[in-house]
Amino acid sequence: GAVVSQHPSWVICKSGTSVKIECRSLDFQATTMFWYRQFPKQSLMLMATSNEGSKATYEQGVEKDKFLINHASLTLSTLTVTSAHPEDSSFYICSARSPGSGANVLTFGAGSRLTVL
Amino acid sequence: AQSVTQLDSHVSVSEGTPVLLRCNYSSSYSPSLFWYVQHPNKGLQLLLKYTSAATLVKGINGFEAEFKKSETSFHLTKPSAHMSDAAEYFCVVIFSGGYQKVTFGTGTKLQVIP
């Protein structure tokens, strides 16, 4: 079946630094990927829709200069948290629509836990 | 407005007893409905999906859900809970229409008591 891989799964960084999280579709091409943020004991919040070859579409309230999304190829989207601060600590998850499903089935990555010191 | 409601934030059952996790939606359009499970510090795994075919949908690990249009519900059930079922469960709806926005329920944490 379709597999989405996220890397790194855990990352700790100092305040003020930038962190890049990768989301790869391993055995299919994904023209659209989605980035979510999950706060402890809460549901997933859609941050942005990543479109291959074009600018990402950000949800209301998400700072596009803070959370840079690049979808450079049909199998890779990256989320860069710039000038990270402790309040950016969270669980970030990506997903992609599985091909041929005809039902908009989303395949999720395993998530990346970011801790900003 | 389109929305998804998971009525219970926490559900606790004894091992071997039935599980019922409730999900209701509101939409002017025909939705695609999904249940996903998330174990601690893990990503989401698809349990089952409804896409306008059979209203009773069977998924993995013995879970099933029934789409009831008249009640706008898509409740998740399992006849007998296992300890390994303890996790967070999300009802997810994709509303058909121009944008096909994905909407997550707030999640239900299932606790299984030995």
Side-chain angles (χ1 to χ4, degrees), chain A residues 36 38 43-44 49 59 91 93 97 103-106 108-110 113, chain B residues 34 36 38 41-44 46 49 51 90 94 99-101 104-105:
Chain A
Y36 305 85
Q38 185 178 33
S43 186
L44 279 71
T49 302
E59 295 298 303
F91 196 53
I93 302 176
R97 284 209 166 96
N104 295 313
V105 175
L106 295 174
F108 288 83
R113 181 164 298 285
Chain B
F34 310 82
Y36 284 85
Q38 183 182 32
N41 296 313
K42 296 293 179 87
L44 278 73
L46 178 67
K49 63 184 180 183
T51 59
F90 292 97
I94 298 179
Y99 184 42
Q100 296 201 334
K101 189 180 178 78
F104 282 80

PDB file of all heavy atoms in Angstrom, chain A residues 36 38 43-44 49 59 91 93 97 103-106 108-110 113, chain B residues 34 36 38 41-44 46 49 51 90 94 99-101 104-105:
ATOM      1  N   TYR A  36      -0.032  19.154   9.003  1.00  0.00           N
ATOM      2  CA  TYR A  36      -0.875  19.361  10.171  1.00  0.00           C
ATOM      3  C   TYR A  36       0.002  19.591  11.389  1.00  0.00           C
ATOM      4  O   TYR A  36       1.147  19.150  11.455  1.00  0.00           O
ATOM      5  CB  TYR A  36      -1.740  18.120  10.443  1.00  0.00           C
ATOM      6  CG  TYR A  36      -2.578  17.672   9.288  1.00  0.00           C
ATOM      7  CD1 TYR A  36      -2.054  16.838   8.308  1.00  0.00           C
ATOM      8  CD2 TYR A  36      -3.906  18.060   9.172  1.00  0.00           C
ATOM      9  CE1 TYR A  36      -2.818  16.408   7.241  1.00  0.00           C
ATOM     10  CE2 TYR A  36      -4.686  17.631   8.110  1.00  0.00           C
ATOM     11  CZ  TYR A  36      -4.133  16.805   7.150  1.00  0.00           C
ATOM     12  OH  TYR A  36      -4.901  16.384   6.101  1.00  0.00           O
ATOM     13  N   GLN A  38      -0.351  19.105  15.654  1.00  0.00           N
ATOM     14  CA  GLN A  38      -1.173  18.512  16.702  1.00  0.00           C
ATOM     15  C   GLN A  38      -0.642  18.914  18.062  1.00  0.00           C
ATOM     16  O   GLN A  38       0.502  18.589  18.405  1.00  0.00           O
ATOM     17  CB  GLN A  38      -1.203  16.985  16.575  1.00  0.00           C
ATOM     18  CG  GLN A  38      -2.145  16.320  17.557  1.00  0.00           C
ATOM     19  CD  GLN A  38      -2.188  14.814  17.379  1.00  0.00           C
ATOM     20  OE1 GLN A  38      -1.192  14.202  17.027  1.00  0.00           O
ATOM     21  NE2 GLN A  38      -3.349  14.227  17.622  1.00  0.00           N
ATOM     22  N   SER A  43      -6.886  17.501  18.542  1.00  0.00           N
ATOM     23  CA  SER A  43      -6.979  16.963  17.190  1.00  0.00           C
ATOM     24  C   SER A  43      -5.942  17.607  16.286  1.00  0.00           C
ATOM     25  O   SER A  43      -5.196  18.488  16.698  1.00  0.00           O
ATOM     26  CB  SER A  43      -8.383  17.211  16.650  1.00  0.00           C
ATOM     27  OG  SER A  43      -8.542  16.587  15.397  1.00  0.00           O
ATOM     28  N   LEU A  44      -5.929  17.153  15.059  1.00  0.00           N
ATOM     29  CA  LEU A  44      -4.982  17.714  14.093  1.00  0.00           C
ATOM     30  C   LEU A  44      -5.528  19.015  13.535  1.00  0.00           C
ATOM     31  O   LEU A  44      -6.706  19.135  13.217  1.00  0.00           O
ATOM     32  CB  LEU A  44      -4.753  16.732  12.946  1.00  0.00           C
ATOM     33  CG  LEU A  44      -3.765  15.603  13.186  1.00  0.00           C
ATOM     34  CD1 LEU A  44      -4.313  14.584  14.165  1.00  0.00           C
ATOM     35  CD2 LEU A  44      -3.385  14.943  11.879  1.00  0.00           C
ATOM     36  N   THR A  49      -1.769  23.372   2.650  1.00  0.00           N
ATOM     37  CA  THR A  49      -1.805  22.406   1.559  1.00  0.00           C
ATOM     38  C   THR A  49      -0.626  22.691   0.659  1.00  0.00           C
ATOM     39  O   THR A  49      -0.462  23.826   0.176  1.00  0.00           O
ATOM     40  CB  THR A  49      -3.118  22.523   0.781  1.00  0.00           C
ATOM     41  OG1 THR A  49      -4.206  22.305   1.677  1.00  0.00           O
ATOM     42  CG2 THR A  49      -3.173  21.504  -0.343  1.00  0.00           C
ATOM     43  N   GLU A  59      -3.665  27.858   5.785  1.00  0.00           N
ATOM     44  CA  GLU A  59      -4.925  28.074   6.484  1.00  0.00           C
ATOM     45  C   GLU A  59      -4.856  29.392   7.252  1.00  0.00           C
ATOM     46  O   GLU A  59      -3.779  29.911   7.565  1.00  0.00           O
ATOM     47  CB  GLU A  59      -5.207  26.921   7.445  1.00  0.00           C
ATOM     48  CG  GLU A  59      -5.427  25.589   6.739  1.00  0.00           C
ATOM     49  CD  GLU A  59      -6.631  25.602   5.824  1.00  0.00           C
ATOM     50  OE1 GLU A  59      -7.750  25.898   6.302  1.00  0.00           O
ATOM     51  OE2 GLU A  59      -6.447  25.325   4.621  1.00  0.00           O
ATOM     52  N   PHE A  91       3.754  18.390  17.581  1.00  0.00           N
ATOM     53  CA  PHE A  91       3.828  17.187  16.748  1.00  0.00           C
ATOM     54  C   PHE A  91       3.334  17.593  15.364  1.00  0.00           C
ATOM     55  O   PHE A  91       2.199  18.052  15.219  1.00  0.00           O
ATOM     56  CB  PHE A  91       2.951  16.093  17.362  1.00  0.00           C
ATOM     57  CG  PHE A  91       3.209  14.701  16.840  1.00  0.00           C
ATOM     58  CD1 PHE A  91       4.482  14.170  16.850  1.00  0.00           C
ATOM     59  CD2 PHE A  91       2.172  13.920  16.373  1.00  0.00           C
ATOM     60  CE1 PHE A  91       4.731  12.889  16.387  1.00  0.00           C
ATOM     61  CE2 PHE A  91       2.398  12.632  15.915  1.00  0.00           C
ATOM     62  CZ  PHE A  91       3.679  12.111  15.919  1.00  0.00           C
ATOM     63  N   ILE A  93       2.560  16.540  11.445  1.00  0.00           N
ATOM     64  CA  ILE A  93       2.228  15.359  10.642  1.00  0.00           C
ATOM     65  C   ILE A  93       1.916  15.785   9.213  1.00  0.00           C
ATOM     66  O   ILE A  93       1.258  16.799   9.003  1.00  0.00           O
ATOM     67  CB  ILE A  93       1.010  14.609  11.226  1.00  0.00           C
ATOM     68  CG1 ILE A  93       1.278  14.198  12.673  1.00  0.00           C
ATOM     69  CG2 ILE A  93       0.672  13.387  10.390  1.00  0.00           C
ATOM     70  CD1 ILE A  93       0.083  13.531  13.328  1.00  0.00           C
ATOM     71  N   ARG A  97      -2.642  12.290  -0.568  1.00  0.00           N
ATOM     72  CA  ARG A  97      -3.757  11.504  -1.076  1.00  0.00           C
ATOM     73  C   ARG A  97      -3.206  10.288  -1.805  1.00  0.00           C
ATOM     74  O   ARG A  97      -2.373  10.409  -2.700  1.00  0.00           O
ATOM     75  CB  ARG A  97      -4.613  12.341  -2.013  1.00  0.00           C
ATOM     76  CG  ARG A  97      -5.486  13.327  -1.299  1.00  0.00           C
ATOM     77  CD  ARG A  97      -6.775  13.617  -2.080  1.00  0.00           C
ATOM     78  NE  ARG A  97      -7.732  14.302  -1.248  1.00  0.00           N
ATOM     79  CZ  ARG A  97      -7.909  15.618  -1.217  1.00  0.00           C
ATOM     80  NH1 ARG A  97      -7.163  16.385  -1.975  1.00  0.00           N
ATOM     81  NH2 ARG A  97      -8.802  16.169  -0.433  1.00  0.00           N
ATOM     82  N   ALA A 103     -11.289   7.770  -3.575  1.00  0.00           N
ATOM     83  CA  ALA A 103     -12.088   8.136  -2.405  1.00  0.00           C
ATOM     84  C   ALA A 103     -11.333   9.098  -1.510  1.00  0.00           C
ATOM     85  O   ALA A 103     -11.641   9.211  -0.348  1.00  0.00           O
ATOM     86  CB  ALA A 103     -12.442   6.886  -1.617  1.00  0.00           C
ATOM     87  N   ASN A 104     -10.376   9.775  -2.064  1.00  0.00           N
ATOM     88  CA  ASN A 104      -9.643  10.777  -1.281  1.00  0.00           C
ATOM     89  C   ASN A 104      -9.046  10.199  -0.015  1.00  0.00           C
ATOM     90  O   ASN A 104      -9.023  10.859   1.011  1.00  0.00           O
ATOM     91  CB  ASN A 104     -10.576  11.942  -0.917  1.00  0.00           C
ATOM     92  CG  ASN A 104     -11.037  12.685  -2.144  1.00  0.00           C
ATOM     93  OD1 ASN A 104     -10.228  13.013  -2.993  1.00  0.00           O
ATOM     94  ND2 ASN A 104     -12.313  12.931  -2.233  1.00  0.00           N
ATOM     95  N   VAL A 105      -8.602   8.978  -0.038  1.00  0.00           N
ATOM     96  CA  VAL A 105      -7.989   8.389   1.149  1.00  0.00           C
ATOM     97  C   VAL A 105      -6.655   9.060   1.393  1.00  0.00           C
ATOM     98  O   VAL A 105      -5.831   9.189   0.495  1.00  0.00           O
ATOM     99  CB  VAL A 105      -7.796   6.874   0.977  1.00  0.00           C
ATOM    100  CG1 VAL A 105      -7.043   6.308   2.176  1.00  0.00           C
ATOM    101  CG2 VAL A 105      -9.137   6.186   0.835  1.00  0.00           C
ATOM    102  N   LEU A 106      -6.459   9.492   2.615  1.00  0.00           N
ATOM    103  CA  LEU A 106      -5.220  10.132   3.005  1.00  0.00           C
ATOM    104  C   LEU A 106      -4.304   9.121   3.670  1.00  0.00           C
ATOM    105  O   LEU A 106      -4.732   8.365   4.534  1.00  0.00           O
ATOM    106  CB  LEU A 106      -5.490  11.280   3.979  1.00  0.00           C
ATOM    107  CG  LEU A 106      -6.278  12.463   3.436  1.00  0.00           C
ATOM    108  CD1 LEU A 106      -6.578  13.444   4.554  1.00  0.00           C
ATOM    109  CD2 LEU A 106      -5.492  13.155   2.335  1.00  0.00           C
ATOM    110  N   PHE A 108      -0.992   8.980   6.016  1.00  0.00           N
ATOM    111  CA  PHE A 108      -0.279   9.886   6.905  1.00  0.00           C
ATOM    112  C   PHE A 108       1.139   9.410   7.167  1.00  0.00           C
ATOM    113  O   PHE A 108       1.407   8.205   7.223  1.00  0.00           O
ATOM    114  CB  PHE A 108      -1.009   9.994   8.245  1.00  0.00           C
ATOM    115  CG  PHE A 108      -2.287  10.764   8.181  1.00  0.00           C
ATOM    116  CD1 PHE A 108      -3.456  10.162   7.762  1.00  0.00           C
ATOM    117  CD2 PHE A 108      -2.318  12.110   8.519  1.00  0.00           C
ATOM    118  CE1 PHE A 108      -4.644  10.880   7.693  1.00  0.00           C
ATOM    119  CE2 PHE A 108      -3.495  12.835   8.454  1.00  0.00           C
ATOM    120  CZ  PHE A 108      -4.661  12.215   8.038  1.00  0.00           C
ATOM    121  N   GLY A 109       2.031  10.368   7.350  1.00  0.00           N
ATOM    122  CA  GLY A 109       3.340  10.042   7.864  1.00  0.00           C
ATOM    123  C   GLY A 109       3.241   9.742   9.351  1.00  0.00           C
ATOM    124  O   GLY A 109       2.200   9.956   9.967  1.00  0.00           O
ATOM    125  N   ALA A 110       4.345   9.258   9.912  1.00  0.00           N
ATOM    126  CA  ALA A 110       4.355   8.874  11.329  1.00  0.00           C
ATOM    127  C   ALA A 110       4.496  10.078  12.245  1.00  0.00           C
ATOM    128  O   ALA A 110       4.406   9.944  13.453  1.00  0.00           O
ATOM    129  CB  ALA A 110       5.471   7.873  11.585  1.00  0.00           C
ATOM    130  N   ARG A 113       8.139  14.993  15.973  1.00  0.00           N
ATOM    131  CA  ARG A 113       7.964  15.744  17.224  1.00  0.00           C
ATOM    132  C   ARG A 113       9.080  16.754  17.370  1.00  0.00           C
ATOM    133  O   ARG A 113      10.260  16.395  17.395  1.00  0.00           O
ATOM    134  CB  ARG A 113       7.945  14.804  18.424  1.00  0.00           C
ATOM    135  CG  ARG A 113       7.748  15.552  19.749  1.00  0.00           C
ATOM    136  CD  ARG A 113       7.332  14.639  20.885  1.00  0.00           C
ATOM    137  NE  ARG A 113       6.061  13.981  20.637  1.00  0.00           N
ATOM    138  CZ  ARG A 113       4.867  14.563  20.719  1.00  0.00           C
ATOM    139  NH1 ARG A 113       4.776  15.846  21.026  1.00  0.00           N
ATOM    140  NH2 ARG A 113       3.767  13.869  20.502  1.00  0.00           N
TER     141      ARG A 113
ATOM    142  N   PHE B  34     -14.213   8.712   7.087  1.00  0.00           N
ATOM    143  CA  PHE B  34     -13.108   7.845   7.460  1.00  0.00           C
ATOM    144  C   PHE B  34     -12.973   7.791   8.976  1.00  0.00           C
ATOM    145  O   PHE B  34     -13.330   8.736   9.677  1.00  0.00           O
ATOM    146  CB  PHE B  34     -11.784   8.388   6.889  1.00  0.00           C
ATOM    147  CG  PHE B  34     -11.832   8.727   5.427  1.00  0.00           C
ATOM    148  CD1 PHE B  34     -12.340   9.940   4.991  1.00  0.00           C
ATOM    149  CD2 PHE B  34     -11.355   7.833   4.487  1.00  0.00           C
ATOM    150  CE1 PHE B  34     -12.388  10.263   3.648  1.00  0.00           C
ATOM    151  CE2 PHE B  34     -11.389   8.144   3.139  1.00  0.00           C
ATOM    152  CZ  PHE B  34     -11.899   9.357   2.720  1.00  0.00           C
ATOM    153  N   TYR B  36      -9.712   7.038  11.538  1.00  0.00           N
ATOM    154  CA  TYR B  36      -8.286   6.812  11.678  1.00  0.00           C
ATOM    155  C   TYR B  36      -7.966   6.560  13.160  1.00  0.00           C
ATOM    156  O   TYR B  36      -8.640   7.090  14.052  1.00  0.00           O
ATOM    157  CB  TYR B  36      -7.483   8.034  11.221  1.00  0.00           C
ATOM    158  CG  TYR B  36      -7.394   8.208   9.724  1.00  0.00           C
ATOM    159  CD1 TYR B  36      -8.411   8.858   9.019  1.00  0.00           C
ATOM    160  CD2 TYR B  36      -6.295   7.740   9.014  1.00  0.00           C
ATOM    161  CE1 TYR B  36      -8.325   9.020   7.645  1.00  0.00           C
ATOM    162  CE2 TYR B  36      -6.201   7.905   7.641  1.00  0.00           C
ATOM    163  CZ  TYR B  36      -7.215   8.548   6.965  1.00  0.00           C
ATOM    164  OH  TYR B  36      -7.123   8.711   5.601  1.00  0.00           O
ATOM    165  N   GLN B  38      -4.778   6.619  16.076  1.00  0.00           N
ATOM    166  CA  GLN B  38      -3.441   7.137  16.366  1.00  0.00           C
ATOM    167  C   GLN B  38      -2.975   6.578  17.705  1.00  0.00           C
ATOM    168  O   GLN B  38      -3.573   6.869  18.744  1.00  0.00           O
ATOM    169  CB  GLN B  38      -3.432   8.668  16.406  1.00  0.00           C
ATOM    170  CG  GLN B  38      -2.043   9.250  16.623  1.00  0.00           C
ATOM    171  CD  GLN B  38      -2.057  10.768  16.717  1.00  0.00           C
ATOM    172  OE1 GLN B  38      -3.018  11.367  17.198  1.00  0.00           O
ATOM    173  NE2 GLN B  38      -0.997  11.402  16.244  1.00  0.00           N
ATOM    174  N   ASN B  41       2.385   8.966  20.110  1.00  0.00           N
ATOM    175  CA  ASN B  41       3.582   9.410  19.375  1.00  0.00           C
ATOM    176  C   ASN B  41       3.715   8.764  18.004  1.00  0.00           C
ATOM    177  O   ASN B  41       4.821   8.597  17.486  1.00  0.00           O
ATOM    178  CB  ASN B  41       4.844   9.145  20.200  1.00  0.00           C
ATOM    179  CG  ASN B  41       4.845   9.959  21.471  1.00  0.00           C
ATOM    180  OD1 ASN B  41       4.580  11.155  21.449  1.00  0.00           O
ATOM    181  ND2 ASN B  41       5.119   9.314  22.591  1.00  0.00           N
ATOM    182  N   LYS B  42       2.604   8.384  17.433  1.00  0.00           N
ATOM    183  CA  LYS B  42       2.636   7.781  16.098  1.00  0.00           C
ATOM    184  C   LYS B  42       1.744   8.588  15.152  1.00  0.00           C
ATOM    185  O   LYS B  42       0.932   9.413  15.569  1.00  0.00           O
ATOM    186  CB  LYS B  42       2.124   6.336  16.159  1.00  0.00           C
ATOM    187  CG  LYS B  42       2.981   5.395  16.997  1.00  0.00           C
ATOM    188  CD  LYS B  42       4.320   5.172  16.377  1.00  0.00           C
ATOM    189  CE  LYS B  42       5.184   4.263  17.220  1.00  0.00           C
ATOM    190  NZ  LYS B  42       4.993   2.861  16.943  1.00  0.00           N
ATOM    191  N   GLY B  43       1.901   8.304  13.849  1.00  0.00           N
ATOM    192  CA  GLY B  43       1.022   8.925  12.868  1.00  0.00           C
ATOM    193  C   GLY B  43      -0.346   8.262  12.869  1.00  0.00           C
ATOM    194  O   GLY B  43      -0.665   7.450  13.729  1.00  0.00           O
ATOM    195  N   LEU B  44      -1.157   8.630  11.904  1.00  0.00           N
ATOM    196  CA  LEU B  44      -2.511   8.115  11.834  1.00  0.00           C
ATOM    197  C   LEU B  44      -2.597   6.938  10.877  1.00  0.00           C
ATOM    198  O   LEU B  44      -2.022   6.970   9.790  1.00  0.00           O
ATOM    199  CB  LEU B  44      -3.473   9.214  11.380  1.00  0.00           C
ATOM    200  CG  LEU B  44      -3.954  10.173  12.455  1.00  0.00           C
ATOM    201  CD1 LEU B  44      -2.843  11.117  12.862  1.00  0.00           C
ATOM    202  CD2 LEU B  44      -5.159  10.952  11.985  1.00  0.00           C
ATOM    203  N   LEU B  46      -5.280   4.396   8.789  1.00  0.00           N
ATOM    204  CA  LEU B  46      -6.648   4.275   8.325  1.00  0.00           C
ATOM    205  C   LEU B  46      -7.272   2.980   8.821  1.00  0.00           C
ATOM    206  O   LEU B  46      -6.729   1.901   8.631  1.00  0.00           O
ATOM    207  CB  LEU B  46      -6.694   4.310   6.793  1.00  0.00           C
ATOM    208  CG  LEU B  46      -8.075   4.140   6.152  1.00  0.00           C
ATOM    209  CD1 LEU B  46      -8.954   5.348   6.472  1.00  0.00           C
ATOM    210  CD2 LEU B  46      -7.941   3.966   4.643  1.00  0.00           C
ATOM    211  N   LYS B  49     -13.181   3.245   5.582  1.00  0.00           N
ATOM    212  CA  LYS B  49     -13.665   4.400   4.841  1.00  0.00           C
ATOM    213  C   LYS B  49     -15.041   4.108   4.245  1.00  0.00           C
ATOM    214  O   LYS B  49     -15.367   2.977   3.906  1.00  0.00           O
ATOM    215  CB  LYS B  49     -12.695   4.741   3.711  1.00  0.00           C
ATOM    216  CG  LYS B  49     -12.557   3.637   2.672  1.00  0.00           C
ATOM    217  CD  LYS B  49     -11.526   3.960   1.610  1.00  0.00           C
ATOM    218  CE  LYS B  49     -11.434   2.828   0.592  1.00  0.00           C
ATOM    219  NZ  LYS B  49     -10.397   3.037  -0.434  1.00  0.00           N
ATOM    220  N   THR B  51     -17.478   5.489   1.094  1.00  0.00           N
ATOM    221  CA  THR B  51     -17.386   6.320  -0.103  1.00  0.00           C
ATOM    222  C   THR B  51     -18.636   6.193  -0.966  1.00  0.00           C
ATOM    223  O   THR B  51     -18.552   6.231  -2.181  1.00  0.00           O
ATOM    224  CB  THR B  51     -16.165   5.918  -0.935  1.00  0.00           C
ATOM    225  OG1 THR B  51     -16.296   4.534  -1.288  1.00  0.00           O
ATOM    226  CG2 THR B  51     -14.886   6.125  -0.172  1.00  0.00           C
ATOM    227  N   PHE B  90      -9.918   9.156  15.402  1.00  0.00           N
ATOM    228  CA  PHE B  90     -10.387  10.380  14.749  1.00  0.00           C
ATOM    229  C   PHE B  90     -11.363  10.050  13.628  1.00  0.00           C
ATOM    230  O   PHE B  90     -11.083   9.208  12.773  1.00  0.00           O
ATOM    231  CB  PHE B  90      -9.212  11.169  14.161  1.00  0.00           C
ATOM    232  CG  PHE B  90      -8.301  11.749  15.200  1.00  0.00           C
ATOM    233  CD1 PHE B  90      -7.139  11.097  15.571  1.00  0.00           C
ATOM    234  CD2 PHE B  90      -8.597  12.969  15.799  1.00  0.00           C
ATOM    235  CE1 PHE B  90      -6.296  11.628  16.531  1.00  0.00           C
ATOM    236  CE2 PHE B  90      -7.757  13.508  16.756  1.00  0.00           C
ATOM    237  CZ  PHE B  90      -6.608  12.837  17.127  1.00  0.00           C
ATOM    238  N   ILE B  94     -14.393  14.214   4.385  1.00  0.00           N
ATOM    239  CA  ILE B  94     -14.054  15.032   3.227  1.00  0.00           C
ATOM    240  C   ILE B  94     -15.363  15.361   2.534  1.00  0.00           C
ATOM    241  O   ILE B  94     -16.075  14.474   2.070  1.00  0.00           O
ATOM    242  CB  ILE B  94     -13.098  14.313   2.269  1.00  0.00           C
ATOM    243  CG1 ILE B  94     -11.772  14.016   2.987  1.00  0.00           C
ATOM    244  CG2 ILE B  94     -12.849  15.171   1.029  1.00  0.00           C
ATOM    245  CD1 ILE B  94     -10.774  13.285   2.125  1.00  0.00           C
ATOM    246  N   TYR B  99     -13.741  22.432  -3.192  1.00  0.00           N
ATOM    247  CA  TYR B  99     -12.464  22.440  -2.493  1.00  0.00           C
ATOM    248  C   TYR B  99     -12.114  21.102  -1.869  1.00  0.00           C
ATOM    249  O   TYR B  99     -10.966  20.774  -1.686  1.00  0.00           O
ATOM    250  CB  TYR B  99     -12.477  23.541  -1.439  1.00  0.00           C
ATOM    251  CG  TYR B  99     -11.167  23.710  -0.707  1.00  0.00           C
ATOM    252  CD1 TYR B  99      -9.947  23.671  -1.367  1.00  0.00           C
ATOM    253  CD2 TYR B  99     -11.143  23.911   0.663  1.00  0.00           C
ATOM    254  CE1 TYR B  99      -8.750  23.824  -0.693  1.00  0.00           C
ATOM    255  CE2 TYR B  99      -9.959  24.076   1.345  1.00  0.00           C
ATOM    256  CZ  TYR B  99      -8.766  24.036   0.665  1.00  0.00           C
ATOM    257  OH  TYR B  99      -7.592  24.201   1.354  1.00  0.00           O
ATOM    258  N   GLN B 100     -13.119  20.294  -1.537  1.00  0.00           N
ATOM    259  CA  GLN B 100     -12.912  19.006  -0.884  1.00  0.00           C
ATOM    260  C   GLN B 100     -12.074  19.150   0.374  1.00  0.00           C
ATOM    261  O   GLN B 100     -11.050  18.487   0.545  1.00  0.00           O
ATOM    262  CB  GLN B 100     -12.252  18.019  -1.852  1.00  0.00           C
ATOM    263  CG  GLN B 100     -13.154  17.699  -3.048  1.00  0.00           C
ATOM    264  CD  GLN B 100     -12.786  16.399  -3.714  1.00  0.00           C
ATOM    265  OE1 GLN B 100     -11.654  15.963  -3.647  1.00  0.00           O
ATOM    266  NE2 GLN B 100     -13.763  15.779  -4.359  1.00  0.00           N
ATOM    267  N   LYS B 101     -12.498  19.988   1.263  1.00  0.00           N
ATOM    268  CA  LYS B 101     -11.773  20.245   2.501  1.00  0.00           C
ATOM    269  C   LYS B 101     -11.865  19.043   3.430  1.00  0.00           C
ATOM    270  O   LYS B 101     -12.916  18.436   3.597  1.00  0.00           O
ATOM    271  CB  LYS B 101     -12.366  21.471   3.195  1.00  0.00           C
ATOM    272  CG  LYS B 101     -11.560  21.957   4.392  1.00  0.00           C
ATOM    273  CD  LYS B 101     -12.234  23.158   5.007  1.00  0.00           C
ATOM    274  CE  LYS B 101     -11.461  23.619   6.243  1.00  0.00           C
ATOM    275  NZ  LYS B 101     -10.272  24.380   5.894  1.00  0.00           N
ATOM    276  N   PHE B 104     -11.294  17.199  10.498  1.00  0.00           N
ATOM    277  CA  PHE B 104     -11.073  16.218  11.548  1.00  0.00           C
ATOM    278  C   PHE B 104     -12.030  16.446  12.698  1.00  0.00           C
ATOM    279  O   PHE B 104     -12.316  17.583  13.082  1.00  0.00           O
ATOM    280  CB  PHE B 104      -9.645  16.331  12.093  1.00  0.00           C
ATOM    281  CG  PHE B 104      -8.606  15.707  11.212  1.00  0.00           C
ATOM    282  CD1 PHE B 104      -8.128  16.378  10.102  1.00  0.00           C
ATOM    283  CD2 PHE B 104      -8.108  14.450  11.490  1.00  0.00           C
ATOM    284  CE1 PHE B 104      -7.178  15.797   9.284  1.00  0.00           C
ATOM    285  CE2 PHE B 104      -7.150  13.863  10.687  1.00  0.00           C
ATOM    286  CZ  PHE B 104      -6.680  14.539   9.578  1.00  0.00           C
ATOM    287  N   GLY B 105     -12.504  15.346  13.277  1.00  0.00           N
ATOM    288  CA  GLY B 105     -13.178  15.449  14.563  1.00  0.00           C
ATOM    289  C   GLY B 105     -12.144  15.710  15.639  1.00  0.00           C
ATOM    290  O   GLY B 105     -10.937  15.646  15.392  1.00  0.00           O
TER     291      GLY B 105
END
